Amino acid sequence: MSEPHVRHPLLTVAPDKLRPTQVTVGKAEVAEKRGIWRSLGKKKRKELIDAHWFPGVLGPKNKVYIVDHHHLGLALLEEGVKSVPVMVQRDFSWLEPDVFWRTMEFNRWAHPYDALGQRIAYDAIPAGLDKLVDDPYRTLAARLRQAGGYSKDATPYAEFLWADFYRRRLKLAGGKISKRLIDEALLHAHTHDAAYLPGWTGVIG
């Protein structure tokens, strides 16, 4: 058993060896990142990877769990990238699995909720990035931020909170996100109902 101490090594890890700490992604966002990757030359691709270290945590059996950049990680995996840099935030490899996940959630490094926004058991979190499930409301939340619906916020899983907000208010026909839907979402974004959400930019009257 390793000693419980903090380390900050930079590792090189194959994308298919990265373990997710959430269940869903917006697959449309992943597709966009794949498109950007394909448009880049060899030098620009190297620069992109060098500029996007994956924050990670060492878990049981020394598995590497990433706590951000899931969309990019899946995009690079699907594009056949051989390795990515991971900056280890903490070494929890000595913990038992149940204690590890509770500790991860306490530190807001895990989001055990499914594509319906329902809580799941820790062992239902996918073992690989390729097993992540699509949540179109997560894509809606990202598109809304891009359209100025709310500000980027450092709160962990902020876009998931926005996704759940819209899950209760808007219907996505076939998961499609149109300009009309974005316009409707913008109207909701600035109301007082959304004032509890991170990055809210409405006005308190």
Side-chain angles (χ1 to χ4, degrees):
M1 182 178 73
S2 64
E3 295 180 3
H5 63 284
V6 179
R7 297 188 299 172
H8 296 282
L10 181 63
L11 304 179
T12 299
V13 184
D16 65 352
K17 299 299 183 184
L18 297 176
R19 306 295 289 261
T21 51
Q22 62 194 49
V23 180
T24 68
V25 288
K27 289 293 182 72
E29 291 176 75
V30 175
E32 288 177 2
K33 292 184 183 298
R34 292 186 68 180
I36 292 172
W37 177 261
R38 292 175 181 177
S39 72
L40 300 177
K42 184 176 181 180
K43 180 179 179 181
K44 290 295 184 181
R45 288 181 175 184
K46 183 178 185 303
E47 289 176 356
L48 185 151
I49 290 180
D50 289 345
H52 289 82
W53 292 355
F54 287 73
V57 174
L58 291 182
K61 299 182 179 180
N62 282 311
K63 300 291 185 181
V64 179
Y65 292 80
I66 59 171
V67 299
D68 200 2
H69 299 334
H70 287 76
H71 291 80
L72 178 61
L74 179 54
L76 295 179
L77 171 62
E78 292 179 344
E79 287 298 312
V81 173
K82 301 302 182 183
S83 64
V84 297
V86 178
M87 179 61 74
V88 176
Q89 310 296 305
R90 292 294 300 270
D91 180 359
F92 291 149
S93 60
W94 50 283
L95 296 177
E96 293 297 321
D98 59 333
V99 178
F100 166 75
W101 281 114
R102 288 201 301 271
T103 303
M104 289 289 284
E105 189 172 7
F106 176 81
N107 283 282
R108 305 180 82 173
W109 283 337
H111 189 71
Y113 294 84
D114 64 17
L116 298 177
Q118 302 298 314
R119 187 179 176 86
I120 61 167
Y122 293 133
D123 59 9
I125 295 176
L129 297 177
D130 60 332
K131 300 298 192 298
L132 290 168
V133 178
D134 183 34
D135 179 1
Y137 284 94
R138 174 62 179 73
T139 296
L140 173 61
R143 298 275 173 80
L144 179 69
R145 182 171 62 79
Q146 293 167 1
Y150 62 97
S151 301
K152 188 174 181 61
D153 192 279
T155 302
Y157 307 107
E159 290 184 338
F160 285 101
L161 293 176
W162 280 94
D164 287 336
F165 175 76
Y166 284 108
R167 204 186 310 279
R168 299 190 298 272
R169 288 167 173 80
L170 299 177
K171 291 188 179 299
L172 297 184
K176 295 182 179 179
I177 300 174
S178 64
K179 182 181 182 303
R180 180 178 179 180
L181 185 68
I182 292 293
D183 289 342
E184 186 177 353
L186 283 168
L187 294 176
H188 286 285
H190 298 129
T191 65
H192 192 268
D193 287 345
Y196 70 96
L197 292 166
W200 181 70
T201 55
V203 177
I204 297 178

